[in-house]
Amino acid sequence: MASPTTSLEHDWLGACRRSVKSVQAVLAESSPGPERVVETGRVGVGGDRTLVIDQRAEDLVIGELRTLHDDGARFTLVSEECGVVDFGDPGTVVVVDPIDGSLNAKRGLTHHALSIAVADGPSMGDVVLGYVHDFGTGEEWHAERGVGAWLNGALLEGVPAERRMEDGRLEIVAVESAAPRWLAAASDALLANVHRVRALGSIAISMCQVAAGRADAMASLRGCRSVDAAAAQLIVRESGGVVAFGDGPDPLGMALADLGGRTPVAAARTPDGLARAQALHAS
């Protein structure tokens, strides 16, 4: 089933797709290794050292958004490198991660993605369009709130519930922020809840694997930023899955524009699977 024409007022999906082509050109110009590890000499608003490829990719995505602005779109941009930029409307928030998984990109590892979310309010629950393009696999994931989620134009429907072992552990869980100290801290919870672990190196792509039922759940072992998950969390939810940021009363209350804030995220196919995934970052 082909995805429908978006009901949003402006051609956000078209801008996302045009941005993919622009970022692909940036990646094609440099080979993994020395050319991709060059830094700009500054730290992005999100707290990471900014690579030249990150900066160039962000500039090109913002260029596409400026074209929409010229055509009448008004919004506030939230991006990993440049921070929060006013384009005329604080009520519409566009969240951009030009290369989620940039460590993978600079080393030549497969999974790295463009992630763009459009929201009609300030928090995760307000996202109306989520778009993730995996440059490694060439897969395009997107979702529209209340309409559905698609992988390469095919509607994600009838995604099965998670697979479990006889003792109740989830068969495959994707983990992010997989530094040894965080894995060590979560070791008891991993043993109790997970049969096998996969670490892809991109929160957005890991969450999309849950949306398709390829992974039974995912969890960040430490806090993530809004740019890492804003788009993919809608894709999971519109595929029938569940998502929670932290363990507070509002699982989707994380602020989109707070680039300094970091909150653990978990996603799964069912509420019980979500609880098991949350146990990993609560340990």
Side-chain angles (χ1 to χ4, degrees):
M1 176 180 175
S3 56
T5 301
T6 178
S7 61
L8 298 171
E9 181 179 358
H10 300 283
D11 186 20
W12 297 106
L13 187 56
C16 291
R17 288 170 170 161
R18 290 188 294 273
S19 295
V20 166
K21 293 180 179 180
S22 297
V23 177
Q24 282 175 326
V26 169
L27 294 171
E29 290 172 1
S30 59
S31 58
E35 294 179 20
R36 289 193 185 176
V37 300
V38 178
E39 298 178 358
T40 63
R42 71 180 185 87
V43 176
V45 177
D48 293 335
R49 292 187 178 90
T50 302
L51 300 175
V52 169
I53 58 170
D54 288 326
Q55 187 64 67
R56 292 189 62 195
E58 183 184 70
D59 290 345
L60 290 167
V61 175
I62 292 175
E64 293 293 345
L65 296 176
R66 287 187 186 279
T67 298
L68 280 187
H69 179 264
D70 292 342
D71 290 339
R74 298 293 179 264
F75 55 92
T76 294
L77 171 68
V78 179
S79 188
E80 182 179 20
E81 309 304 334
C82 70
V84 180
V85 181
D86 180 14
F87 280 87
D89 180 6
T92 299
V93 183
V94 180
V95 184
V96 173
D97 192 341
I99 305 179
D100 182 51
S102 57
L103 180 59
N104 284 349
K106 76 179 185 180
R107 297 294 297 271
L109 295 171
T110 301
H111 291 299
H112 46 286
L114 169 67
S115 174
I116 299 177
V118 181
D120 60 6
S123 67
M124 288 289 174
D126 298 314
V127 174
V128 296
L129 178 72
Y131 183 90
V132 174
H133 182 93
D134 185 338
F135 292 110
T137 63
E139 291 179 323
E140 177 191 81
W141 311 76
H142 78 280
E144 187 175 343
R145 189 176 67 195
V147 180
W150 293 265
L151 167 57
N152 293 333
L155 183 67
L156 287 170
E157 56 183 346
V159 179
E162 68 267 358
R163 293 174 59 91
R164 292 175 179 268
M165 310 307 292
E166 290 184 0
D167 59 6
R169 289 175 299 152
L170 298 170
E171 185 175 62
I172 293 180
V173 174
V175 297
E176 293 299 330
S177 306
R181 60 173 172 159
W182 298 109
L183 286 167
S187 60
D188 289 343
L190 284 165
L191 287 169
N193 294 287
V194 179
H195 176 60
R196 290 288 187 268
V197 169
R198 298 291 182 265
L200 302 182
S202 162
I203 286 176
I205 294 173
S206 288
M207 295 185 79
C208 287
Q209 306 314 304
V210 177
R214 297 170 178 172
D216 302 308
M218 73 78 59
S220 63
L221 301 184
R222 58 170 294 190
C224 80
R225 301 160 302 181
S226 63
V227 294
D228 298 323
Q233 60 87 23
L234 181 66
I235 296 169
V236 173
R237 293 192 291 118
E238 287 296 326
S239 75
V242 286
V243 178
F245 291 85
D247 56 2
D250 184 357
L252 300 175
M254 183 179 181
L256 297 172
D258 182 11
L259 285 169
R262 293 177 182 263
T263 303
V265 63
R269 299 306 311 168
T270 67
D272 183 70
L274 183 70
R276 287 180 176 270
Q278 288 180 296
L280 305 185
H281 59 232
S283 59

